Amino acid sequence: MMAKRYLSIHEAHELLAKGEVSSVELTEAALQRIDEVEEKLRAFVTVTRELALEQARHADERIKSGEFSVLTGIPAMIKDNMCTRGTRTTCASRMLESFVPPYDAAVVEKLNAQGMVMVGKGNMDEFAMGSSNEHSAFFPAHNPWDLERVPGGSSGGAAVSVAAGECIYALGSDTGGSIRQPAGFCSVVGLKPTYGRVSRYGLVAFASSLDQIGPVTRDVTDCAIVLNAIAGYDRQDSTSVDRPVPDYTKSLVPDISGLRIGVPREYFVEGMESGVEQVIRQAIGKLEELGAEIDWDVSLPDTPAALACYYIIAPSEAMANLARYDGVKYGYSAPEAKSMWDAMEKTRQYGFGPEVKRRIMLGTYALSAGYYEAYYLKAQKVRTLIAREFSEAFAQCDVLVTPTSPTVPFRIGEKMDDPLQMYLSDVCTLPINIAGIPGISVPAGFVDDLPVGMQILGEPFSEEMLLRVAFAYEQATGWGERKPPVQGKGR
Ligand code: GLN
């Protein structure tokens, strides 16, 4: 049987379990779709065709033997900053262009144990620094809703591939919005779990106190399924939290009556597009119709400081993390250097792109002896205030609702010469990483055929609550069912 292009994990699993489709067929369908559209979308840095078919054959055997899970045999994409044994892991950087890890990231190991079929590694902004995928050292990815627009970033490839039917689900990483913002821009579901919920072992570090891995999926049910598989304590990650993992699919009940939903007024920011604001206000109206109590009187007054705080803390951590790329240990190494210092300089000159260099400069400046207290220490204090404001808000409300981004997907090239404008596309998402709380983006509608995402936030480890609200909203609206127009031939 021909596998349908836009199956969800749970639909595909049902067909696999009934023997109506095989994993090899599902995988071939995904690979065929990749062949059709990839020239236009560029969602993949590497397509792992042979590996995928081999894993699919194994999955089919497992299914026949009766020992399989809901993720067995389902085609997936992994963002290219998560280590995959034997498959190159580039972070979309020249520095790691030919780096083949000798081990799997913890999340990859977990998915492999469930019988994942990995069709490839996802395009991204270099080292996950960016909001548009244009900072990939290789090529930008394109938005399947409008090829002239960005898919968001840094996990652009993950969102594009799920939205366009090149795989069924993907893993992304989120330091300041990199799962939620592209999910919003491509009309798919993206969840950044609570800091510590998912192991970061084997995730190439950008800003270690902010980074978190999470699912990018076609619907909320799939999001719960993938979170079930990747969440949990890992002693290889000292910041992972030892706390039981509930069955997240149990929270998928379309009932939010009586829930208190807060709307923080600072998130309807200046510069927000009126179309986006309208869509989100309608979405909030829908939540009210579904029985939630809406509290319009929530304030997070330090929100305007979050962007500055993030752009001190993230580059400071990044500059320390990126010091390991010296041309000696692994990755690119400049040939023909005169001395050790010369080798290091030439390696970094070529190996790092402009945005990565900018972050290293920012971080080095913020941490330097003369400025440490004025910038880094101050930013840490602001971080504490922001986290405290969120916990006060959650004493008043069960969840908060905001737009995922202040705009619809922007045009490729539009913000490349203006880093500050680019940084602003994450105003609504990065406070969440600063506070370490979870956030999910769900499709909430369209403005002139371009997707808008709604972000739902909760206190630490409230993923069940977020999924419940997201699920109720999804069931009542079905925005995620609309599919992008990208075709194999022509436009
Ligand atoms: N866009 C933000 C940045 O450039 C966030 C990136 C991310 O979440 N990885 O830092």
Side-chain angles (χ1 to χ4, degrees), residues 79 127-131 153-154 173-179 206 211 310-311 314 355 359 422-423 426 430 433:
K79 185 178 182 180
F127 284 103
M129 297 171 188
S131 318
S154 63
S173 71
D174 190 313
T175 304
S178 280
I179 290 175
F206 162 13
D211 299 340
Y310 175 89
Y311 277 98
E355 184 60 28
R359 305 287 175 111
M422 187 73 94
Y423 296 172
D426 290 311
L430 45 85
N433 302 66

Side-chain angles (χ1 to χ4, degrees), residues 402-417:
T402 79
T404 303
S405 308
T407 70
V408 293
F410 44 91
R411 288 184 184 282
I412 293 180
E414 194 178 315
K415 300 185 194 239
M416 274 302 264
D417 299 328

Side-chain angles (χ1 to χ4, degrees), residues 18-161:
K18 284 197 236 146
E20 286 177 17
V21 75
S22 70
S23 173
V24 167
E25 284 171 315
L26 282 179
T27 305
E28 278 169 350
L31 291 169
Q32 192 192 332
R33 178 68 172 162
I34 290 173
D35 288 339
E36 275 168 29
V37 294
E38 198 39 25
E39 207 178 304
K40 290 178 177 167
L41 297 177
R42 316 287 337 238
F44 288 79
V45 172
T46 307
V47 176
T48 48
R49 197 173 297 270
E50 281 78 39
L51 174 71
L53 288 168
E54 189 191 311
Q55 288 177 327
R57 282 191 290 272
H58 274 137
D60 281 332
E61 277 164 30
R62 264 176 84 164
I63 293 166
K64 254 189 227 128
S65 78
E67 292 220 359
F68 62 108
S69 82
V70 59
L71 286 173
T72 308
I74 309 285
M77 160 206 270
I78 305 291
K79 185 178 182 180
D80 211 17
N81 59 351
M82 291 170 227
C83 287
T84 41
R85 182 156 46 99
T87 298
R88 75 180 179 139
T89 298
T90 69
C91 287
S93 176
R94 293 200 287 211
M95 192 62 94
L96 293 174
E97 192 165 358
S98 49
F99 170 62
V100 179
Y103 70 105
D104 280 323
V107 288
V108 172
E109 205 174 286
K110 285 187 171 188
L111 292 177
N112 278 339
Q114 303 238 358
M116 162 173 66
V117 171
M118 186 178 82
V119 290
K121 300 295 296 284
N123 200 2
M124 54 186 282
D125 289 290
E126 184 175 3
F127 284 103
M129 297 171 188
S131 318
S132 69
N133 224 289
E134 292 164 287
H135 289 303
S136 165
F138 308 136
F139 34 76
H142 296 252
N143 192 311
W145 294 92
D146 178 346
L147 296 172
E148 273 149 37
R149 291 177 188 264
V150 305
S154 63
S155 315
V160 171
S161 61

Side-chain angles (χ1 to χ4, degrees), residues 262-267 295-304 385-386 388-394 396-397 400:
V263 184
R265 70 175 82 98
E266 290 80 6
Y267 280 70
D295 185 347
W296 293 93
D297 197 28
V298 178
S299 174
L300 298 163
D302 281 319
T303 302
L385 292 179
I386 290 171
R388 196 178 297 158
E389 274 175 20
F390 272 112
S391 64
E392 281 162 15
F394 292 125
Q396 190 182 334
C397 315
L400 298 174

Side-chain angles (χ1 to χ4, degrees), residues 32 187 257 261 290 399 424 490:
Q32 192 192 332
S187 202
S257 48
I261 297 183
L290 293 171
V399 297
L424 272 168

